[in-house]
């Protein structure tokens, strides 16, 4: 299924040609950028159908990938275009068609190792065997292209749904950026911060207004003290809001006293505690929250505590849950909030 839901996209891929929208997602740029490169520098498609309709061939794609690589280094677009147009036609080793289309045409499948090598060469990140959208998001982040990044993230969420977009597009790209940063010293830190900020914005734009609190139905989400990785909690909050489940989000590094007070004041049905690192995961804190009670005598309640994040591995405790994925966390909250 194409991101636009337009069957014409499938037809274009079957004949090895991309529409401008499909090419933009592949490259991680805005469609207006591609049209600008065409009108200003002559980097247009080899094929036009129906007058102004653009269809981009494999050679066109390779040329624009070269353009993206040059501009990502900081080279001005005009100079990059001059270099691209002055080079010989780039060798094309992979058609822009998706594997299923290539197989249908009788083409030999591209080995996974070679595909991964090409992906790494084009984006600078080790994306592996993940959705095509990851490559576009990574390229846009690498170029610090805010408009393209917002468009790509929004399209992924709208097309695949919040949970699938996070699991199969956003999180793999974040992990790839993190690996690149770890292996490159202090380089690419700005890319990680830039990407995280725009993901947070995309989640907020997608999520509906927070549902009004209902007695015994609120979920409290917070990072444990000294933990500031809030994005996983933000996507969980957005997923719960989609399901009209009331959430109170407290963000990063919530002090113990503040967490306890927040639980007392809201009387939540569930409390999600995020820990990215074993150094921040506190089993005594989780047990204390799980033991808190409120309500009248004879009808007192306790919250279900969800230990979220890799920091809790091996540190679970009686009476708490440790969901291993976003989908599992959503199901855990639904199971107790909708009783």
């Amino acid at each position: 299924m194409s991101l636009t839901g337009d069957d014409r996209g499938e037809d274009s891929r079957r004949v090895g040609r991309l529409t401008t929208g499909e090419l933009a997602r592949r490259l991680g740029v805005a469609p207006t950028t591609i049209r600008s490169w065409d009108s200003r520098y002559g980097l247009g498609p080899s094929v036009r159908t129906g007058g102004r309709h653009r269809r981009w061939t494999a050679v066109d794609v390779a040329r624009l990938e070269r353009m993206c690589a040059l501009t990502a280094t900081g080279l001005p677009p005009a100079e990059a275009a001059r270099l691209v147009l002055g080079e010989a036609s780039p060798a094309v080793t992979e058609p822009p068609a998706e594997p299923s289309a290539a197989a249908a045409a009788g083409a030999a499948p591209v080995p996974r190792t070679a595909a991964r090598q090409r992906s790494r060469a084009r984006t600078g990140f080790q994306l592996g065997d993940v959705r095509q959208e990851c490559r576009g998001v990574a390229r846009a982040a690498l170029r610090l292209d805010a408009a393209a990044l917002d468009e790509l993230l929004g399209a992924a969420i709208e097309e695949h749904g919040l949970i699938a977009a996070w699991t199969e597009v956003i999180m793999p790209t974040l992990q790839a950026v993190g690996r690149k940063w770890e292996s490159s010293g202090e380089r690419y830190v700005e890319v990680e911060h830039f990407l995280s900020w725009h993901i947070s914005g995309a989640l907020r734009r997608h999520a509906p207004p927070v549902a009004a609190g209902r007695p015994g139905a609120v979920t409290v989400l917070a990072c444990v003290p000294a933990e500031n990785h809030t994005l996983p909690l933000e996507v969980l909050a957005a997923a719960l809001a989609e399901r009209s489940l009331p959430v109170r989000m407290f963000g990063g590094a919530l002090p113990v006293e503040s967490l306890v007070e927040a639980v007392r004041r809201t009387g939540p049905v569930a409390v999600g505690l995020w820990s990215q690192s074993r150094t921040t995961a506190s089993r005594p804190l989780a047990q204390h929250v799980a033991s808190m009670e409120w309500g009248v005598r004879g009808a007192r309640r306790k919250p279900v505590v969800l230990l979220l994040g890799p920091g809790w591995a091996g540190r679970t405790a009686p009476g708490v849950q440790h969901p291993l994925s976003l989908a599992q966390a959503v199901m855990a909250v639904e199971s107790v909030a909708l009783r």
Side-chain angles (χ1 to χ4, degrees):
M1 181 183 295
S2 70
L3 284 176
T4 61
D6 190 340
D7 290 337
R8 291 175 299 177
E10 285 295 329
D11 292 338
S12 70
R13 284 195 291 270
R14 289 191 187 100
V15 297
R17 295 170 183 168
L18 300 177
T19 65
T20 299
E22 291 164 344
L23 179 59
R25 289 189 291 273
R26 181 186 180 103
L27 298 176
V29 300
T32 52
T33 298
I34 293 178
R35 296 187 185 101
S36 173
W37 288 348
D38 180 6
S39 62
R40 293 184 180 183
Y41 312 122
L43 289 173
S46 302
V47 177
R48 295 178 189 267
T49 61
R52 295 177 59 85
H53 296 291
R54 297 170 172 86
R55 290 295 183 267
W56 303 81
T57 66
V59 172
D60 300 329
V61 172
R63 184 178 292 114
L64 289 185
E65 284 178 338
R66 175 67 173 153
M67 180 73 172
C68 288
L70 290 172
T71 55
T73 66
L75 198 66
E79 180 64 15
R82 187 185 67 79
L83 292 175
V84 170
L85 292 172
E87 295 173 349
S89 296
V92 178
T93 58
E94 178 188 15
E98 294 184 354
S100 58
V110 179
R112 288 190 174 188
T113 301
R116 282 194 289 269
Q117 289 173 345
R118 279 196 291 275
S119 172
R120 184 178 181 182
R122 290 170 182 164
T123 65
F125 302 130
Q126 301 178 47
L127 289 173
D129 228 7
V130 295
R131 286 184 180 271
Q132 179 68 37
E133 289 96 318
C134 292
R135 297 182 177 89
V137 173
R139 290 188 181 103
L142 185 62
R143 291 195 315 277
L144 305 183
D145 189 334
L149 189 54
D150 283 344
E151 183 175 337
L152 291 165
L153 290 170
I157 293 172
E158 289 297 326
E159 174 68 15
H160 305 298
L162 185 60
I163 292 178
W166 172 262
T167 303
E168 300 183 38
V169 178
I170 297 173
M171 188 168 61
T173 307
L174 277 168
Q175 291 169 341
V177 173
R179 288 193 297 269
K180 186 66 177 178
W181 171 44
E182 290 174 357
S183 63
S184 305
E186 293 301 314
R187 295 184 62 198
Y188 301 107
V189 174
E190 74 284 0
V191 176
E192 185 175 32
H193 283 248
F194 182 76
L195 178 58
S196 297
W197 173 260
H198 281 271
I199 291 171
S200 180
L203 294 174
R204 289 178 181 272
R205 287 190 297 273
H206 174 79
V210 175
R214 301 192 302 272
V218 173
T219 296
V220 166
L221 299 177
C223 291
V224 297
E227 180 59 70
N228 288 294
H229 289 78
T230 63
L231 268 184
L233 285 187
E234 292 179 50
V235 71
L236 176 55
L240 295 178
E242 275 190 330
R243 291 154 176 80
S244 299
L245 297 174
V247 180
R248 297 296 178 267
M249 173 69 166
F250 292 90
L254 187 64
V256 172
E257 298 80 4
S258 301
L259 172 61
V260 171
E261 183 63 20
V263 172
R264 291 191 187 282
R265 292 181 60 184
T266 58
V269 67
V271 178
L273 301 176
W274 179 269
S275 173
Q276 183 76 15
S277 167
R278 290 177 63 87
T279 60
T280 62
S282 171
R283 183 172 176 176
L285 173 61
Q287 290 176 313
H288 178 70
V289 174
S291 68
M292 294 178 64
E293 294 183 330
W294 51 85
V296 299
R297 187 183 300 274
R300 297 183 69 77
R301 296 182 295 109
K302 296 181 180 180
V304 172
V305 174
L306 307 178
L307 305 182
L308 307 172
W312 296 105
R315 298 197 176 190
T316 57
V320 301
Q321 300 182 31
H322 183 37
L324 299 179
S325 68
L326 173 60
Q328 288 182 10
V330 171
M331 291 176 59
V333 173
E334 283 184 316
S335 67
V336 295
L338 299 178
R339 286 176 182 171

